[in-house]
Amino acid sequence: MRRQKLAPDMRKLMGPQGFYQSAPARAYTVAGSFLRYLADTYGADRLRAVYAHADFDAAYGRPLGELVTEWEQYVDALPLDEASVARAFARFRTGSLFTRACAREVARLSDSARQALASDPEDALKRYRRAGELQPEEPASASVRPSPCPNWSATRTRTPCSPRWASA
């Protein structure tokens, strides 16, 4: 997730607002990785002390920010092949519920664009583009920008790719 710039900031994640504003899969995975690192590196007793008192300075003798930087350096040094990075991106690309586009809005735009395609291609294209803007990380959004004809102009002049041209 860190290589794909999808990992939430652990410094913020350790507080309730940061955790709940992050995508659940990302938040739990990153927090779990950090806590596992702390347990493996410093022992379970210190981790239990953090759970009991929420005081990193008291448990580790160092502030949270330093521990996070140490963990980030450890994680960033782990060898990963491109296939693993791609799988992680596919799994964690979806953002928090609060940052995602409303699926109903995207569906409404896509449906209305499909209906307008034959009668008003420019309007349909605007609607498809807006649906794509709402979900830019979605690979399908690149293909949700159809044009009825690459040569279709604003004046709607018939061109060789127009269906009626072929029958004329």
Side-chain angles (χ1 to χ4, degrees), residues 120-144:
D120 192 349
E122 283 86 11
D123 181 56
L125 185 57
K126 285 179 190 173
R127 292 170 191 252
Y128 278 125
R129 284 189 175 142
R130 177 65 183 137
E133 288 169 2
L134 289 173
Q135 51 186 7
E137 74 286 346
E138 204 48 49
S141 71
S143 63
V144 178

Side-chain angles (χ1 to χ4, degrees), residues 96-108:
S96 162
L97 177 63
F98 301 110
T99 62
R100 284 186 252 163
C102 175
R104 290 185 177 131
E105 176 69 6
V106 172
R108 186 187 65 74

Side-chain angles (χ1 to χ4, degrees), residues 108-122:
R108 186 187 65 74
L109 282 166
S110 296
D111 287 345
S112 64
R114 217 174 355 269
Q115 291 171 4
L117 192 57
S119 61
D120 192 349
E122 283 86 11

Side-chain angles (χ1 to χ4, degrees), residues 37 42 55-70:
Y37 171 80
Y42 297 101
D55 188 349
F56 284 88
D57 280 323
Y60 294 96
R62 299 168 57 200
L64 172 63
E66 285 183 22
L67 293 165
V68 170
T69 299
E70 182 181 300

Side-chain angles (χ1 to χ4, degrees), residues 9-16 18-19 30-31 34-35 56 64 68:
D9 182 353
M10 182 58 62
R11 291 158 194 86
K12 293 178 183 174
L13 200 59
M14 286 290 116
F19 192 86
V30 171
F34 178 63
L35 296 175
F56 284 88
L64 172 63
V68 170

Side-chain angles (χ1 to χ4, degrees), residues 15-26:
Q17 285 184 331
F19 192 86
Y20 293 118
Q21 290 178 354
S22 297
R26 294 181 200 175

